[in-house]
Amino acid sequence: MSFLSNARDKAIEFFFQRNDFFKQFGEIQNVDIDSQENQANITILLHGETEPTLLCAHYCFEDTDEGTLIVINKVDSPRVMINEIAAWWFKDHSIKKALPKGTGLFAKILF
């Protein structure tokens, strides 16, 4: 992995680890980025659970007048109930967060 792709993946990993949407459901234990598929594999220990759960968040980038957004438009899980709830919610919603100034340009150059 090149230095630039490693830096890009670390920036996306940081975004997911600090994302309030996921953190409200539990403690994020690990994030693995697959930049070829634009997905983040998130291991999360959900509140009240004793075993971690895997979530696969699909993301893309969107340019706006205010800058570049990272957009999460789908989340999958091998746990049927979580997968069904996520499919139902993401059918009508997405998660959009602005990237810090300059990061959007960096992401577009690398993608």
Side-chain angles (χ1 to χ4, degrees), residues 74-89:
K74 181 180 178 184
V75 172
D76 296 319
S77 175
R79 292 186 57 187
V80 175
M81 184 176 176
I82 293 171
N83 199 52
E84 293 296 319
I85 291 170
W88 171 79
W89 193 84

Side-chain angles (χ1 to χ4, degrees), residues 21-22 24-25 46 49 55 73-95:
F21 180 82
F22 292 103
Q24 71 182 328
F25 298 110
L46 298 171
E49 297 283 328
L55 303 176
N73 49 28
K74 181 180 178 184
V75 172
D76 296 319
S77 175
R79 292 186 57 187
V80 175
M81 184 176 176
I82 293 171
N83 199 52
E84 293 296 319
I85 291 170
W88 171 79
W89 193 84
F90 279 98
K91 176 179 58 171
D92 296 322
H93 301 88
S94 61
I95 301 169

Side-chain angles (χ1 to χ4, degrees), residues 46-111:
L46 298 171
H47 297 300
E49 297 283 328
T50 58
E51 295 293 322
T53 298
L54 180 65
L55 303 176
C56 179
H58 303 265
Y59 63 88
C60 63
F61 298 99
E62 182 179 302
D63 288 325
T64 68
D65 292 337
E66 290 80 37
T68 301
L69 305 177
I70 187 167
V71 180
I72 304 165
N73 49 28
K74 181 180 178 184
V75 172
D76 296 319
S77 175
R79 292 186 57 187
V80 175
M81 184 176 176
I82 293 171
N83 199 52
E84 293 296 319
I85 291 170
W88 171 79
W89 193 84
F90 279 98
K91 176 179 58 171
D92 296 322
H93 301 88
S94 61
I95 301 169
K96 297 182 179 188
K97 296 286 184 178
L99 294 173
K101 295 274 188 224
T103 309
L105 176 62
F106 180 64
K108 286 186 282 185
I109 289 170
L110 295 173
F111 285 100

Side-chain angles (χ1 to χ4, degrees), residues 24-61:
Q24 71 182 328
F25 298 110
E27 177 187 338
I28 296 173
Q29 296 181 330
N30 188 47
V31 178
D32 288 318
I33 303 301
D34 181 347
S35 55
Q36 295 286 10
E37 298 294 325
N38 282 4
Q39 58 189 29
N41 296 307
I42 303 162
T43 304
I44 184 170
L45 182 60
L46 298 171
H47 297 300
E49 297 283 328
T50 58
E51 295 293 322
T53 298
L54 180 65
L55 303 176
C56 179
H58 303 265
Y59 63 88
C60 63
F61 298 99

